[in-house]
Amino acid sequence: AAMWRALAAATAAPARALLRTPPARRAASLAVSPAAGPADERVETRVAGLSPGQPVTLRAVAADERGCLFQSCAHYRADSRGELHLGTDASHGGDYTGVEPMGLFWSLAPAGMERPYQRLVPRNTSAPMKVEVLVHQGHSLPGSMPGPVMAKAEVQRLFTAPGVRRIRLKEGVVRGSLFLPPGDGPFPGVIDMYGDEGGLIEFRSSLLATHGFAALSLPYFDFEDLPRILKDLKLEYFEEAARFLQRHPKVKGPGVGVIGTGKGAELALSMITFLPEVVAAVSISGCSSNTVADLHYGETTLPGLRFDMDKVTVSESGVFDVFEALDDPTNPANSSSVIPIEKAEGHFLLVVGEDDRMWKSSLYAELAIRRLRQHGKENFELLSYPGAGHRIDPPSTPFCQVAMDRVLGVPVLGGGESKAHAHAQEHSWGKIQEFLHLHLG
């Protein structure tokens, strides 16, 4: 009998131990909403099921069309209920700090094993960009091995809203893509251009169409049968594009708008100056003089300011700083390159990052404003952002302080600080749409 009692006690001990084990903590959960939505709009990210005060690392991972991996991370602590809300809770470390609802998106950068200095921008606007968001145990530094995954969710960032039509353009000499919003219209018409990287860049146009604009993404070299390199430009090409858009049955009129970045911004200033079809111009980080390539229009020629490569500095890490390299537009010898914007009948919106290191866009905006005021004009608005760099894109476009230059084939400093630049992108995007609606109807 004693033996049976001993055996019963031995088998009961583990059972009693099981009863004493605390109940398993509920699993962590992650909700990102909307799970699929416009790429320029905020998402709401919430984590639940953590222990009060528990440290976690949130990560975002995305791949571009070529399979290059981008990632970001931030450190958080759960509140007293074991929850987290990125709209109200601050990051304490990682790729950014503070309350940044979209920080995981705008801080995406090439993963450690990838080539650095690459931009995460969509080449194909018809496919969503898929971003995986993960919750890891503990705080792990950027680039290090993160702790075990506790929860994850996939988010789809859409660049083209349902019902938006994309029409590839071969109209006379004009090439590009026209994005039309759903519905009968007519819609305000906008021409959209980027800089000296060339080719067809569509994601801003497709987002403008999502917001109700008929947007023409207009390449001007290195696309289809357009010239391979940026050399002499004829304003007649841009005039044909403006007339095509103005006459399109889905476009409101009487005038159209234009938005450009870098070299595209400077072309926008020339278009509103010389072409009566253009009544509103958004210049993002533009120069108030014509640069690089001579611009011809009928009998008129604006010579392009040149870059002096002797004024380029290279850091120890091999990053090129071209800030001082462009010819000085205030030098009287360069006066023939100045765009005579005082002749424009329309309205200007000048958008600049005060930490632009590609060139002196703050100074160029000042020169433009001074020129307009000297001619008694107040047809402009300036948005100037401390801490923002050169390429101010739609919201949540990942910040890229140094980017590989397609023409030079080397990394070039664009300037800016990630958080200030991200805030400039969000604020300016709303203002740009307001400005275009105001002047195009």
Side-chain angles (χ1 to χ4, degrees), residues 240-259:
E240 199 169 316
R243 286 179 177 169
F244 162 79
L245 190 62
Q246 184 196 36
R247 293 169 183 164
H248 195 282
K250 291 269 188 184
V251 172
K252 237 182 203 171
V256 297
V258 59
I259 177 172

Side-chain angles (χ1 to χ4, degrees), residues 239-322:
E239 181 174 50
E240 199 169 316
R243 286 179 177 169
F244 162 79
L245 190 62
Q246 184 196 36
R247 293 169 183 164
H248 195 282
K250 291 269 188 184
V251 172
K252 237 182 203 171
V256 297
V258 59
I259 177 172
T261 297
K263 177 68 187 173
E266 168 203 311
L267 284 164
L269 297 181
S270 293
M271 288 171 73
I272 193 171
T273 296
F274 294 107
L275 309 180
E277 295 84 1
V278 178
V279 298
V282 180
S283 161
I284 301 172
S285 310
C287 184
S288 48
S289 291
N290 186 53
T291 68
V292 185
D294 294 357
L295 181 67
H296 306 280
Y297 184 51
E299 300 296 304
T300 304
T301 296
L302 298 184
L305 297 180
R306 300 293 187 240
F307 278 95
D308 180 353
M309 296 314 281
D310 291 338
K311 292 183 179 171
V312 174
T313 59
V314 186
S315 72
E316 283 179 17
S317 59
V319 174
F320 283 58
D321 185 341
V322 300

Side-chain angles (χ1 to χ4, degrees), residues 111-376:
M113 71 286 236
E114 301 289 358
R115 285 199 339 270
Y117 313 135
Q118 298 186 73
R119 287 188 187 284
L120 179 57
V121 290
R123 304 277 185 290
N124 172 15
T125 56
S126 62
M129 183 183 287
K130 293 177 181 175
V131 182
E132 188 170 40
V133 181
L134 304 102
V135 182
H136 296 269
Q137 276 181 28
H139 286 165
S140 48
L141 294 171
S144 68
M145 186 64 83
V149 174
M150 304 174 71
K152 60 183 179 178
E154 187 183 85
V155 188
Q156 295 193 4
R157 308 288 281 158
L158 308 174
F159 289 89
T160 307
V164 167
R165 287 168 57 212
R166 173 180 177 267
I167 301 156
R168 282 302 298 278
L169 211 62
K170 273 198 169 180
E171 188 72 27
V173 296
V174 178
R175 301 290 174 265
S177 297
L178 176 63
F179 290 86
L180 293 174
D184 295 332
F187 309 104
V190 182
I191 292 171
D192 176 27
M193 299 177 295
Y194 271 90
D196 56 14
E197 65 267 54
L200 177 65
I201 301 173
E202 299 177 313
F203 73 102
R204 186 165 60 194
S205 301
S206 62
L207 288 172
L208 283 168
T210 295
H211 289 282
F213 295 93
L216 170 56
S217 183
L218 186 68
Y220 47 97
F221 75 103
D222 196 20
F223 180 72
E224 291 183 353
D225 55 357
L226 296 174
R228 290 290 304 146
I229 57 168
L230 180 57
K231 49 185 185 190
D232 285 17
L233 288 168
K234 289 185 163 56
L235 198 64
E236 282 83 358
Y237 172 78
F238 303 91
E239 181 174 50
E240 199 169 316
R243 286 179 177 169
F244 162 79
L245 190 62
Q246 184 196 36
R247 293 169 183 164
H248 195 282
K250 291 269 188 184
V251 172
K252 237 182 203 171
V256 297
V258 59
I259 177 172
T261 297
K263 177 68 187 173
E266 168 203 311
L267 284 164
L269 297 181
S270 293
M271 288 171 73
I272 193 171
T273 296
F274 294 107
L275 309 180
E277 295 84 1
V278 178
V279 298
V282 180
S283 161
I284 301 172
S285 310
C287 184
S288 48
S289 291
N290 186 53
T291 68
V292 185
D294 294 357
L295 181 67
H296 306 280
Y297 184 51
E299 300 296 304
T300 304
T301 296
L302 298 184
L305 297 180
R306 300 293 187 240
F307 278 95
D308 180 353
M309 296 314 281
D310 291 338
K311 292 183 179 171
V312 174
T313 59
V314 186
S315 72
E316 283 179 17
S317 59
V319 174
F320 283 58
D321 185 341
V322 300
F323 187 65
E324 295 289 349
L326 187 67
D327 287 347
D328 180 5
T330 64
N331 182 336
N334 296 323
S335 62
S336 57
S337 297
V338 175
I339 303 164
I341 55 173
E342 71 280 359
K343 294 181 177 177
E345 293 297 321
H347 289 80
F348 298 89
L349 177 62
L350 309 172
V351 182
V352 296
E354 292 174 19
D355 195 30
D356 184 348
R357 293 294 302 178
M358 284 290 274
W359 60 14
K360 303 173 182 181
S361 53
S362 285
L363 168 67
Y364 305 152
E366 256 175 61
L367 294 174
I369 288 169
R370 192 181 308 162
R371 189 174 181 97
L372 290 170
R373 285 197 163 138
Q374 279 169 352
H375 288 85

Side-chain angles (χ1 to χ4, degrees), residues 95-96 106-107 387 399-401 415-424:
D95 290 319
Y96 62 91
W106 54 247
S107 61
F399 172 68
C400 196
Q401 188 183 51
E417 179 277 314
S418 58
K419 189 188 292 196
H421 192 89
H423 292 177

